[in-house]
């Protein structure tokens, strides 16, 4: 028989005791730390879930930091935008209600307030968050707008708004102060009024004429340049008979002059005297009409036209996204006459059509969108060869998305666009496009800011690109795309928010423009028409600061960035919930239950005690006792 070594048995027991001691040590650590292990290898099979969960919690922490930073920017931007609405309301209230009393500088209290508020607007728009200019779009390291003084007064090398307004006023009034209109008496019984130059962007434009003058013949408005005439034909009109002339002003508004025949003495304002001499001489009545009409036109030119000129100069200076292209031409009918919106794009003489005209298969491409000509049955981006010029312009306007419809006036076509940089018109039939007055392709728009094209301004007939010698008021990003997309942040795995803003957005730019023009305009405090000029400008300022259908408002920008905040708030709520769930998974995978650990420690302690007892007995064992 063989006898196993006692040392072998005691070695096995010793190993077991050492294992129990190690387990007790591990369990004691678990009890004190609450963790299953101090390293990944001891965490068990669920540690993979814990690692993934901890990674997601880290991402959530990064998103939380992003949301916090973006909220700071949005809150600052919203405060700035709220300041802009307060400024708008202040200036609007002043322009609508303040008395038109002029100070020694030819301005009202409301205008002085507007000038100060313009400086405040510039400061607001140059708000920074850290080193980021909030209203510069992607150019966030660049100041959003130029200094207020430079914008209004210019620099040593570049003209400011004040100069642009003065040039435009001189060009719109003309040398005779009649809004670029020429008034004559071709015969002793007639009166004629005409625009000075066909296609000029300046001055009053004759839109319509109507008459109830007994025995009189009214001709026009027609011709190139546009004119109208009134011939009394040797007949006195009746008391109360009326001549009405409607004009279009540079800002697109219309004004009407009414001349009423009257026998009252003195002759009422807005009337002309019917000759009462013996014998009656209707030619004297024609002379009276000529004088009264001249007075009325001069007053209109020096009041409403001056105000409209200031507004338009503001648009030329501030609205650097908008421009127009124009061309003048007579149609090619047997009896040439200025083209109108009704002139056909093709047709046989002597019809009112251009020649050469467009034919089926021709195309016109506008900003990459092609319009095709067909013989009949046009749909979508098609035109019938016999369609009118107005139809063509409507198609072009639909493509460009212009906020100001294109026009035909006095044989001159003007195509308006809200994005001068992108406008491009080409055609497969350059001869037909030439018949519309556009002699070269591609047809493009003059880049703003726009300045009066020649000197003296009173006889200028064109607007030209003034970017080389005019202050650039907006200095931030002006590239394509939504201003909101100029600042984008990821706030969740699959969610981004857009919160960018630009000072040249329509709502901000139009407010800047209206406030600057109102605060800059001045007149002679003792001038004959001073009160009328300021009243007309005040009315236009009030309208410009009043919400119009379809126009962007400051509140719209606030709504956009509020939506970004709401999106971040929702994301943050979800992330808080997800973080709690992920932490639970981690805790389940890595945490040790105190009750379970205590129970295991007690069990091991009992086992250890039993092992010690066995070891003690074995230690006393001898060969004699074994036998």
């Amino acid at each position: 028989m063989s006898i196993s070594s006692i040392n072998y048995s005691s070695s096995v027991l010793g190993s077991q005791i050492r294992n129990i001691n190690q387990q007790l040590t591990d369990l004691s650590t678990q009890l004190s730390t609450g963790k299953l292990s101090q390293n990944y290898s001891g965490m068990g099979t669920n540690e993979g879930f814990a690692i993934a969960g901890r990674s997601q919690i880290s991402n959530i922490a990064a998103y939380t930091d992003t949301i916090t930073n973006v909220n700071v920017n949005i809150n600052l931007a919203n405060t700035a935008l709220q300041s802009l609405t307060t400024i708008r309301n202040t200036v609007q209230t002043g322009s609508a209600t303040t008395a038109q009393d002029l100070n020694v500088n030819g301005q009202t209290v409301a205008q002085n307030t507007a000038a100060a508020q313009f400086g405040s607007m510039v400061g607001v728009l140059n708000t920074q968050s850290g080193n980021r200019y909030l209203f510069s779009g992607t150019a966030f390291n660049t100041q959003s707008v130029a200094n207020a003084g430079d914008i209004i007064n210019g620099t040593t090398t570049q003209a400011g708004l004040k100069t642009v307004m003065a040039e435009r006023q001189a060009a719109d009034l003309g040398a005779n102060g009649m809004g670029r209109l020429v008034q004559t008496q071709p015969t002793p019984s007639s009166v004629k009024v005409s625009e000075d130059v066909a296609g000029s962007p300046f001055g009053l434009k004759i839109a319509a004429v109507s008459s109830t003058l007994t025995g009189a013949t009214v001709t026009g408005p027609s011709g190139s340049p546009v004119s109208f005439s009134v011939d009394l034909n040797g007949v006195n009109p009746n008391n109360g008979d009326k001549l009405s002339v409607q004009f279009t002003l540079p800002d697109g508004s219309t004004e009407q002059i009414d001349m009423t025949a009257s026998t009252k003495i003195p002759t009422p304002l807005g009337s002309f005297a019917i000759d009462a001499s013996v014998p009656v001489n209707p030619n004297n009545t024609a002379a009276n009409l000529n004088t009264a009409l001249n007075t009325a036109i001069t007053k209109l030119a020096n009041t409403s036209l001056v105000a409209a000129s200031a507004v338009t100069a503001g648009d030329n200076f501030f609205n650097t996204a908008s421009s127009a292209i124009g061309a003048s031409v007579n149609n090619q009918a047997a009896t040439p006459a200025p083209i109108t919106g009704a002139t056909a794009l093709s047709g046989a003489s002597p019809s009112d059509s251009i020649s050469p005209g467009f034919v089926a298969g021709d195309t016109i491409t506008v900003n990459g969108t092609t319009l095709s000509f067909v013989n009949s049955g046009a749909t979508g981006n098609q035109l019938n060869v016999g369609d009118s010029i107005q139809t063509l312009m409507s198609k072009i306007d639909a493509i460009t998305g212009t906020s100001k419809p294109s026009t035909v006036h006095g044989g001159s076509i003007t195509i308006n666009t809200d994005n001068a940089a992108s406008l491009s018109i080409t055609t497969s039939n350059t001869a037909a496009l030439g018949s519309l007055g556009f002699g070269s392709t591609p047809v493009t728009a003059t880049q703003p800011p726009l300045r009066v094209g020649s000197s003296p301004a009173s006889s200028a007939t064109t607007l030209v690109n003034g970017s080389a010698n005019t202050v650039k008021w907006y200095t931030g990003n002006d590239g394509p795309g939504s201003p909101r997309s100029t600042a984008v942040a990821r706030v969740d795995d699959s969610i981004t928010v857009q919160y960018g803003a630009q000072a040249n957005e329509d709502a901000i730019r139009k407010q800047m423009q209206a406030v600057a023009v109102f605060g800059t305009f001045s007149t002679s405090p003792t001038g004959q028409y001073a009160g009328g000029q300021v009243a007309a400008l005040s009315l236009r300022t009030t309208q410009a600061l009043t919400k119009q259908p379809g126009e962007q408002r400051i509140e719209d920008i606030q709504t956009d960035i509020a939506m970004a905040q709401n999106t971040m708030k929702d994301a943050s709520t979800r992330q808080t919930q997800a973080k709690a769930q992920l932490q639970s998974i981690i805790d389940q995978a890595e945490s040790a239950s105190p009750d379970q650990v205590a129970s295991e420690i007690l069990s091991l302690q009992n086992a250890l005690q039993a092992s010690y007892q066995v070891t003690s007995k074995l230690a006393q064992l001898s060969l004699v006792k074994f036998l």
Side-chain angles (χ1 to χ4, degrees):
M1 147 181 116
S2 64
I3 303 174
S4 299
S5 171
I6 295 175
N7 287 337
Y8 172 78
S9 301
S10 60
S11 175
V12 172
L13 289 171
S15 176
Q16 291 177 342
I17 290 171
R18 286 194 296 274
N19 286 338
I20 292 173
N21 274 325
Q22 183 61 50
Q23 292 179 57
L24 281 172
T25 300
D26 292 341
L27 288 171
S28 296
T29 302
Q30 290 179 10
L31 190 63
S32 62
T33 64
K35 298 294 184 182
L36 288 175
S37 176
Q38 300 305 300
N39 53 62
Y40 287 124
S41 62
M43 287 295 184
T45 58
N46 290 328
E47 180 57 17
F49 295 107
I51 293 173
R54 190 173 285 107
S55 175
Q56 292 182 55
I57 287 178
S58 177
N59 289 340
I60 289 174
Y63 292 140
T64 299
D65 290 342
T66 298
I67 289 172
T68 299
N69 293 333
V70 172
N71 268 319
V72 169
N73 289 342
I74 287 179
N75 288 333
L76 284 171
N78 188 59
T79 299
L81 291 169
Q82 192 58 47
S83 297
L84 294 182
T85 62
T86 300
I87 291 171
R88 179 193 69 203
N89 295 337
T90 298
V91 176
Q92 183 182 40
T93 300
S95 64
T97 61
T98 302
Q100 306 299 332
D101 297 329
L102 299 175
N103 60 22
V104 293
N105 296 318
Q107 288 191 310
T108 65
V109 171
Q111 288 181 278
N112 287 334
T113 300
Q117 295 291 352
F118 178 76
S120 298
M121 284 191 68
V122 170
V124 166
L125 291 172
N126 283 327
T127 295
Q128 288 179 271
S129 176
N131 294 324
R132 183 187 186 93
Y133 286 93
L134 298 180
F135 293 94
S136 290
T138 56
F140 53 83
N141 290 323
T142 303
Q143 182 172 305
S144 304
V145 297
N147 297 328
D150 292 344
I151 293 174
I152 301 301
N153 299 310
T155 66
T156 55
T157 58
Q158 294 180 311
L161 175 63
K162 186 177 292 185
T163 298
V164 173
M165 288 172 60
E167 291 174 350
R168 178 86 205 203
Q169 179 174 313
D172 281 319
L173 275 176
N176 63 0
M178 289 186 62
R180 306 297 291 266
L181 297 179
V182 179
Q183 186 173 342
T184 59
Q185 272 198 280
T187 67
S189 65
S190 65
V191 177
K192 182 179 181 180
V193 178
S194 67
E195 299 171 15
D196 64 344
V197 178
S200 167
F202 305 117
L204 297 168
K205 303 302 177 186
I206 304 168
V209 180
S210 61
S211 169
T212 61
L213 299 178
T214 302
T217 300
V218 176
T219 304
S222 59
S224 182
V226 175
S227 66
F228 75 90
S229 62
V230 181
D231 194 335
L232 298 185
N233 294 315
V235 178
N236 261 349
N238 295 323
N239 189 52
D241 287 355
K242 185 182 295 185
L243 172 70
S244 298
V245 186
Q246 188 178 81
F247 297 96
T248 302
L249 282 64
D251 63 349
S253 62
T254 58
E255 297 272 354
Q256 183 168 299
I257 290 175
D258 294 321
M259 294 282 96
T260 303
S262 177
T263 56
K264 293 181 180 180
I265 300 176
T267 306
L269 188 66
S271 300
F272 64 96
I274 299 172
D275 182 61
S277 61
V278 181
V280 172
N281 186 352
N283 287 347
N284 291 339
T285 304
N288 294 338
L289 172 61
N290 184 59
T291 300
L293 188 58
N294 185 279
T295 299
I297 290 174
T298 301
K299 179 180 179 181
L300 176 63
N302 284 275
T303 53
S304 293
L305 175 62
V306 167
S309 177
V311 170
T312 306
D315 198 61
N316 294 157
F317 182 86
F318 282 97
N319 191 5
T320 54
S322 179
S323 190
I325 52 175
S328 298
V329 66
N330 285 338
N331 73 2
Q332 304 299 316
T335 303
I339 61 172
T340 67
T343 300
L345 296 169
S346 180
S349 181
S351 66
D352 182 17
S353 61
I354 60 172
S355 179
F358 291 95
V359 299
D362 286 345
T363 59
I364 294 178
T365 301
V366 182
N367 295 354
T369 298
T370 299
L371 301 172
S372 303
F373 283 88
V374 296
N375 285 319
S376 61
T379 60
N381 287 333
Q382 292 180 329
L383 288 159
N384 296 316
V385 292
D387 281 342
S388 67
I389 290 175
Q390 184 59 59
T391 301
L392 171 61
M393 290 195 300
S394 296
K395 294 278 189 180
I396 293 175
D397 287 350
I399 294 172
T400 63
T402 179
S403 59
K404 184 178 181 181
S406 300
T407 62
V408 181
H409 178 80
S412 176
I413 297 175
T414 300
I415 297 176
N416 295 305
T417 174
D418 287 348
N419 190 345
S422 69
L423 184 69
S424 175
I425 301 176
T426 58
T427 182
S428 63
N429 189 338
T430 56
L433 194 64
S435 297
L436 293 173
F438 301 102
S440 62
T441 58
V443 177
T444 57
T446 304
Q447 294 294 298
L450 302 178
R451 297 280 296 277
V452 174
S454 60
S455 181
S458 58
S459 58
T461 59
T462 59
L463 285 166
V464 297
N465 182 349
S467 57
N469 59 359
T470 310
V471 170
K472 184 179 181 182
W473 73 273
Y474 174 66
T475 53
N477 167 68
D478 56 1
S482 165
R484 235 53 77 231
S485 67
T486 59
V488 181
R490 182 169 294 281
V491 296
D492 206 344
D493 289 342
S494 59
I495 298 175
T496 59
V497 294
Q498 299 182 347
Y499 62 98
Q502 295 180 183
N504 66 342
E505 294 187 51
D506 279 351
I508 300 174
R509 188 265 304 167
K510 288 179 179 178
Q511 180 173 323
M512 284 274 287
Q513 181 177 319
V515 174
V517 169
F518 190 54
T520 301
F521 180 84
S522 64
T523 186
S524 169
T526 58
Q528 178 182 359
Y529 302 107
Q533 291 174 359
V534 175
L537 181 59
S538 295
L539 175 62
R540 285 167 168 78
T541 301
T542 302
Q543 292 173 337
L545 296 176
T546 301
K547 179 174 175 58
Q548 304 298 323
E551 286 187 348
Q552 184 193 46
R553 293 277 281 180
I554 299 293
E555 291 84 350
D556 296 330
I557 302 175
Q558 290 179 292
T559 299
D560 288 346
I561 61 176
M563 290 176 62
Q565 279 192 311
N566 287 336
T567 299
M568 291 190 296
K569 182 179 179 181
D570 292 341
S572 182
T573 299
R574 290 193 301 271
Q575 289 165 2
T576 299
Q577 295 171 347
K579 183 178 179 180
Q581 294 171 350
L582 291 168
Q583 190 61 55
S584 176
I585 292 173
I586 294 171
D587 291 344
Q588 289 176 11
E590 297 182 345
S591 297
S593 170
D595 293 339
Q596 182 178 346
V597 171
S599 176
E600 290 179 0
I601 288 175
L602 181 60
S603 177
L604 286 172
Q605 286 175 337
N606 292 334
L608 184 60
Q609 184 177 6
S611 296
Y612 280 145
Q613 290 174 348
V614 171
T615 302
S616 175
K617 290 179 179 181
L618 289 176
Q620 298 173 10
L621 186 64
S622 65
L623 180 60
V624 175
K625 290 182 179 180
F626 178 77
L627 293 174

